[in-house]
Amino acid sequence: MRRSSSRTLRLTATLAAAATSLGLVTLTTATPAQAAAICGGNVSVYGTLPDGRLTYTAISPTTGDRVKTLIGANPGFTPKAMATLNFNTVLVTSTAGELYRVDIQTNDSALALAGVTRIWDSGWTFDKMVYDGAGHLYGTVAGQLHRYNVSQAKPAGPAHIAKHVVIDEGFVLKTLAAAGDDVLVATTADGRLLSYQINGVGDWERSELKSSGWSAVDSLVSPGGGLYYGRTNGGMYWYHDADPTDGRGGDIAYHSDDPVDASGWTQTLLSAYANDCTYQPPAPPTPTPSTRGGQITRTEIMSRAVNWLNRDIPYSQSAYASDPDGGHSYRTDCSGFISMAWHAGSSYTTATLPGVSATISKSDLQPGDALNTSSGHVVLFEKWVDKAAGKFSYIHQSNPNDDMMRGQDYLNGGSDGRIAGHAASGYVALRYDKVING
């Protein structure tokens, strides 16, 4: 057990009643960990107890210590799903399908309600509901992900929660949390930790942060900025993602030996305000522009590729076009485009590109790599759309009719087994010999 700090001891008397009734262990502290986010204050987590009473917990974002827990009144209905709109406004659905706005009068030294307003009479049957802190309310039911626009800090009726759309199907999730503007994190029954970037109806990207190890998490909340809080067997554990925008979970720090609380979190619902914290990436070093045939960053490769895409360079196996610097020209077919994007020493062909690149696993593809086929086509890998499903986006110089194009497909070619009109099985993943990360 961690040793109590003097700050903790001063809080003990204040928290004793709440900790006893909620079953929370004594607040403890440890050597502060590096913060994963920039937060305006403590993380705010609302919840409901099995008897319906509302709870409020403040957590230090830098140490993971619980600062206080307060217990308020029963809102007068049986809650089913909860989303925190802001510091003092919570949306809660009832088991009868109603939607309520619960206003918090104070959560300083006591949790007092200012009022409970029913703003929708029926139809709110979501099993999970979250608010992204930036105007979008999400809910899941029967594997569908729904989204609403919230136009008021304290919505008074359906006019303020409108523009309902169904994003897509296939969202069968064990837990769901909002982690920022149209960013969701979730766990699955088989223990995966996922993140989603929602762009619109049918337009979303999924990243698998962890392939296993999260099956015991029965509630997940996030205040944004790469901070995640997961309840496991009544204990609340905290994690921070050093870069929550990279779609990878290798940089998630676990604090399993330093939990918020080892036990006592008995709430049936938990919800955090997703805009408490923000992620501020470190300022990147000013890159040195590549030279023809020299080392080149992935960022520059993609910038060069988008230049030709925006210029819609016409396809030709005999013509040449200038690169973004205007200092060199490259053949304007598919392999010439890849040569230009790589800032290679000459315009290679699909047959000669392997001579300046290495074969890699398709699952290891990163922005700026290529998929090359012996049948005579090559595309530039742009990014993963859903890596677990093998879905990705790419840019290519397509054909004389379509010229430069951006497309999406699956590594196995999807329903027709083809990528950009060529058999998916014939593609080989290539990584340019001179590429560097950055």
Side-chain angles (χ1 to χ4, degrees):
M1 180 177 288
R2 294 172 294 167
R3 184 167 45 196
S4 296
S5 67
S6 59
R7 176 168 172 251
T8 297
L9 294 174
R10 289 195 298 270
L11 285 168
T12 301
T14 303
L15 295 176
T20 299
S21 59
L22 189 54
L24 294 167
V25 299
T26 304
L27 188 75
T28 52
T29 189
T31 302
Q34 182 179 358
I38 298 173
C39 305
N42 292 320
V43 174
S44 299
V45 180
Y46 284 98
T48 58
L49 291 171
D51 62 7
R53 287 181 296 165
L54 198 68
T55 69
Y56 171 77
T57 300
I59 301 172
S60 167
T62 54
T63 66
D65 286 336
R66 177 172 53 83
V67 177
K68 63 183 175 182
T69 294
L70 306 171
I71 301 177
N74 187 312
F77 58 89
T78 304
K80 182 177 181 181
M82 170 188 286
T84 302
L85 284 190
N86 48 62
F87 188 69
N88 58 9
T89 311
V90 182
L91 292 180
V92 188
T93 65
S94 72
T95 53
E98 303 152 314
L99 178 65
Y100 291 88
R101 188 190 77 229
V102 179
D103 296 319
I104 312 301
Q105 182 175 346
T106 179
N107 53 21
D108 185 10
S109 58
L111 181 58
L113 305 186
V116 177
T117 304
R118 187 170 64 189
I119 58 178
W120 217 294
D121 292 331
S122 63
W124 287 76
T125 58
F126 298 127
D127 46 46
K128 300 170 188 66
M129 190 169 67
V130 296
Y131 180 68
D132 71 352
H136 284 153
L137 179 69
Y138 288 93
T140 57
V141 61
Q144 291 183 330
L145 180 66
H146 295 242
R147 187 174 74 183
Y148 294 81
N149 284 8
V150 180
S151 58
Q152 300 290 326
K154 290 189 177 296
H160 299 154
I161 303 178
K163 297 185 178 179
H164 168 238
V165 296
V166 177
I167 297 297
D168 213 337
E169 310 226 352
F171 288 81
V172 180
L173 306 169
K174 184 175 181 180
T175 68
L176 181 67
D181 187 1
D182 288 321
V183 177
L184 307 176
V185 290
T187 63
T188 61
D190 60 5
R192 290 174 293 150
L193 176 66
L194 308 174
S195 70
Y196 294 88
Q197 172 66 55
I198 309 299
N199 304 314
V201 175
D203 183 7
W204 50 273
E205 301 164 26
R206 182 181 71 179
S207 300
E208 185 177 84
L209 302 182
K210 294 292 181 180
S211 61
S212 62
W214 288 70
S215 59
V217 174
D218 58 27
S219 186
L220 182 69
V221 299
S222 173
L227 281 168
Y228 312 133
Y229 297 85
R231 183 178 62 188
T232 301
N233 298 322
M236 180 62 80
Y237 295 83
W238 64 295
Y239 316 83
H240 62 81
D241 190 339
D243 183 356
T245 67
D246 62 4
R248 298 192 293 271
D251 55 352
I252 296 178
Y254 287 63
H255 299 276
S256 54
D257 60 344
D258 179 28
V260 177
D261 287 298
S263 62
W265 284 71
T266 60
Q267 293 95 326
T268 57
L269 296 175
L270 290 172
S271 172
Y273 177 35
N275 206 20
D276 265 343
C277 305
T278 58
Y279 168 71
Q280 183 172 327
T286 302
T288 301
S290 65
T291 57
R292 185 178 173 96
Q295 286 190 330
I296 184 170
T297 65
R298 296 186 181 281
T299 300
E300 187 179 354
I301 289 175
M302 298 314 302
S303 175
R304 290 171 66 86
V306 170
N307 176 272
W308 267 32
L309 178 66
N310 290 340
R311 289 162 59 190
D312 197 20
I313 300 298
Y315 180 98
S316 173
Q317 293 184 342
S318 58
Y320 284 72
S322 63
D323 67 1
D325 301 330
H328 307 99
S329 295
Y330 292 84
R331 196 178 60 254
T332 59
D333 59 6
C334 63
S335 52
F337 163 66
I338 299 296
S339 303
M340 183 283 303
W342 287 354
H343 209 171
S346 65
S347 295
Y348 293 99
T349 67
T350 53
T352 58
L353 278 172
V356 293
S357 58
T359 300
I360 61 171
S361 169
K362 291 178 181 178
S363 64
D364 193 34
L365 281 163
Q366 297 182 49
D369 295 334
L371 283 167
N372 186 54
T373 176
S374 58
S375 64
H377 195 58
V378 61
V379 302
L380 188 72
F381 181 87
E382 183 178 22
K383 63 181 179 180
W384 291 107
V385 176
D386 185 351
K387 188 174 182 179
K391 189 176 184 180
F392 66 98
S393 66
Y394 60 91
I395 301 173
H396 67 142
Q397 183 65 276
S398 55
N399 57 62
N401 294 322
D402 298 317
D403 303 322
M404 290 297 306
M405 291 188 68
R406 174 183 273 125
Q408 288 190 6
D409 218 316
Y410 294 85
L411 289 177
N412 65 4
S415 59
D416 64 357
R418 305 176 77 80
I419 299 173
H422 296 256
S425 59
Y427 279 94
V428 174
L430 300 179
R431 177 163 295 160
Y432 183 42
D433 291 338
K434 301 295 182 65
V435 69
I436 57 177
N437 291 328

